[in-house]
C-alpha cells in the first residue's frame, strides 16, 4: 500500500468537502475542525495579508500543537495551505512546521507549476517521523501544460484546482463554460495517475443553487470533492458528491447481475452490462460505504 493510500481511501468514502479558513482568524480554527467538513484547511496564503503572515503562522502552529495529528481527531482532517515554497513566507512556513515537528495530516502547496515544487516540500516533510501528505494546487495554464510531470512527483497525494488564479492568468471569466476545459483536463489526468482531484471553491456565497450546479458538474467530471469558503456551503457540496438512492439501487442491480453471470457479459432491462459498467458500479457503492470495490484496480502511477 502506498504512503498516500489512507487519506485517499477516506476521500473515496465520501470525504468530499474541504472548508478553507483564513490563518489570520484563529478563533475560527476549532469551529472549522468541528464544522462537519471532511478537511479543515487552515490557509496561510491568499487569505492572509502580508503584514499578518508571521502572526498567522504562529497561530496555526499553536492550533496544531493543541489538536495533535489530524488523523487522531474524530472530526475533520486538519490541513494547512502554506505559501508558495519559492517565496520567503513559504520557506518560513515549512521551516516553522519542521522546527516544531507540528505537521498537519495534509499540506496544500499553492502555485505548483512543476514537479520540483512538490519535490521540495516532500523532501522537507520526508524528514519528519510523521510526514504530511502533500497536495498540489493547480491554478495556472502553465501548471496544466506540466501536469504529466507534476503528477509523477514522489509522494504527491492529490491535486486541487484553483479557478480564481487560473482565470486571472488565462484572462478568462470564472464561469462553467470557461472552466470546463481546465477542470476536465485536471480530473482526467489525476484519474490516469490514480490520484484524487478536488474542485475549486464557488465564490458567490448567497447563490447555493449555483454552487449545487457547479458541484454536480465537478462530480460528473470525476472530482472527488470541492472546497468550501463558508460552512453554509458544506451540505450542498456533500449532497452533490453523495450517490443518490436511485444511483445506488442501479449500481447494486448491476453488481448482482454481474455476480449471477459469473463475470460474463449480461443485460439489465435490455442494456448490456460489461466489465467497465460493473467496475463503475462497484466503485460507486464503495464511495458510498455500501460495498467493497471488488474487481476494481487502482490505475497505475506513471513513471
Amino acid at each position: 500500500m502506498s504512503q498516500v493510500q489512507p487519506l485517499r481511501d477516506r476521500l473515496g468514502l465520501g470525504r468530499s468537502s474541504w472548508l478553507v479558513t483564513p490563518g489570520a482568524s484563529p478563533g475560527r480554527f476549532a469551529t472549522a475542525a468541528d464544522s462537519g467538513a471532511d478537511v479543515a484547511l487552515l490557509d496561510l496564503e491568499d487569505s492572509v495579508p502580508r503584514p499578518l503572515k508571521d502572526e498567522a503562522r504562529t497561530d496555526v502552529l499553536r492550533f496544531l500543537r493543541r489538536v495533535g495529528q489530524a488523523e487522531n481527531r474524530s472530526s475533520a482532517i486538519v490541513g494547512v495551505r502554506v505559501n508558495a515554497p519559492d517565496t520567503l513566507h513559504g520557506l518560513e512556513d515549512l521551516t516553522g512546521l519542521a522546527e516544531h515537528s507540528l505537521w498537519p495530516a495534509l499540506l496544500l502547496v499553492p502555485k505548483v507549476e512543476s514537479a520540483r515544487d512538490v519535490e521540495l516540500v516532500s523532501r522537507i516533510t520526508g524528514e519528519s517521523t510523521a510526514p504530511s501528505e502533500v497536495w498540489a494546487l493547480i491554478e495556472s495554464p502553465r501548471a496544466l501544460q506540466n501536469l504529466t510531470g507534476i503528477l509523477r512527483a514522489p509522494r504527491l497525494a492529490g491535486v486541487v484546482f484553483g479557478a480564481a488564479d487560473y482565470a486571472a492568468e488565462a484572462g478568462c471569466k470564472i464561469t462553467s463554460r470557461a472552466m470546463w476545459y481546465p477542470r476536465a483536463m485536471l480530473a482526467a489526468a489525476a484519474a490516469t495517475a490514480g490520484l484524487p482531484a478536488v474542485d475549486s471553491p464557488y465564490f458567490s456565497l448567497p447563490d447555493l443553487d449555483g454552487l449545487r450546479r457547479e458541484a454536480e458538474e465537478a462530480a460528473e467530471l470525476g472530482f472527488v470533492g470541492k472546497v468550501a469558503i463558508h460552512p453554509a456551503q458544506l451540505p450542498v457540496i456533500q449532497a452533490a458528491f453523495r450517490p443518490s438512492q436511485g444511483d445506488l439501487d442501479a449500481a447494486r442491480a448491476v453488481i448482482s447481475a454481474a455476480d449471477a453471470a459469473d463475470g460474463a457479459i449480461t443485460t439489465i432491462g435490455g442494456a448490456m452490462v460489461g466489465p467497465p459498467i460493473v467496475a463503475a458500479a462497484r466503485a460507486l457503492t464503495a464511495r458510498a460505504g455500501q460495498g467493497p470495490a471488488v474487481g476494481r484496480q487502482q490505475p497505475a502511477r506513471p513513471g
Side-chain angles (χ1 to χ4, degrees):
M1 180 175 290
S2 71
Q3 296 180 43
V4 301
Q5 193 66 34
L7 181 54
R8 187 188 304 161
D9 286 344
R10 296 180 71 185
L11 284 166
L13 296 176
R15 311 297 291 189
S16 59
S17 54
W18 294 38
L19 178 62
V20 60
T21 300
S25 301
R28 294 165 54 185
F29 293 173
T31 301
D34 295 326
S35 64
D38 299 314
V39 177
L41 186 68
L42 310 182
D43 181 34
L44 293 173
E45 198 214 11
D46 283 348
S47 67
V48 179
R50 185 175 295 273
L52 299 181
K53 294 283 189 184
D54 293 339
E55 181 180 350
R57 184 184 310 112
T58 299
D59 289 333
V60 167
L61 288 170
R62 185 179 296 118
F63 182 73
L64 292 175
R65 182 178 293 110
R66 192 166 85 229
V67 303
Q69 286 298 309
E71 62 262 29
N72 294 328
R73 293 183 58 87
S74 59
S75 52
I77 294 167
V78 175
V80 175
R81 176 167 72 167
V82 295
N83 288 278
D86 61 349
T87 66
L88 176 60
H89 287 298
L91 290 174
E92 289 176 341
D93 292 342
L94 292 169
T95 56
L97 291 166
E99 287 174 359
H100 295 276
S101 296
L102 290 172
W103 296 107
L106 182 153
L107 274 180
L108 180 61
V109 184
K111 308 296 189 291
V112 171
E113 292 190 333
S114 73
R116 292 183 62 187
D117 298 327
V118 178
E119 291 164 358
L120 171 62
V121 178
S122 296
R123 284 199 298 271
I124 296 174
T125 63
E127 297 176 1
S128 167
T129 57
S132 303
E133 293 187 357
V134 179
W135 287 58
L137 185 53
I138 304 299
E139 48 187 341
S140 70
R142 184 185 297 274
L144 282 185
Q145 287 182 336
N146 295 333
L147 265 183
T148 300
I150 292 170
L151 293 170
R152 287 195 179 114
R155 288 194 54 239
L156 182 66
V159 290
V160 179
F161 179 52
D165 280 87
Y166 180 90
E169 290 209 20
C172 64
K173 295 182 178 180
I174 310 177
T175 61
S176 174
R177 182 165 58 185
M179 292 295 108
W180 193 267
Y181 171 74
R183 290 164 81 204
M185 183 177 179
L186 179 58
T192 300
L195 294 173
V198 172
D199 192 30
S200 176
Y202 186 79
F203 298 101
S204 179
L205 288 177
D207 185 11
L208 294 182
D209 285 338
L211 169 64
R212 176 186 53 77
R213 287 192 297 271
E214 188 169 284
E216 289 175 349
E217 287 177 355
E220 291 173 2
L221 286 170
F223 286 92
V224 302
K226 189 170 180 64
V227 179
I229 56 175
H230 191 278
Q233 295 181 324
L234 294 174
V236 178
I237 291 172
Q238 290 164 348
F241 286 91
R242 185 186 308 123
S244 69
Q245 190 58 50
D247 291 337
L248 285 171
D249 290 343
R252 284 193 288 265
V254 167
I255 294 170
S256 296
D259 290 344
D262 197 23
I265 293 177
T266 185
T267 60
I268 295 180
M272 186 182 74
V273 175
I277 305 299
V278 177
R282 294 192 191 280
L284 187 145
T285 57
R287 287 197 303 273
Q290 297 191 13
V294 177
R296 181 175 183 267
Q297 296 182 353
Q298 190 74 305
R301 292 289 302 274

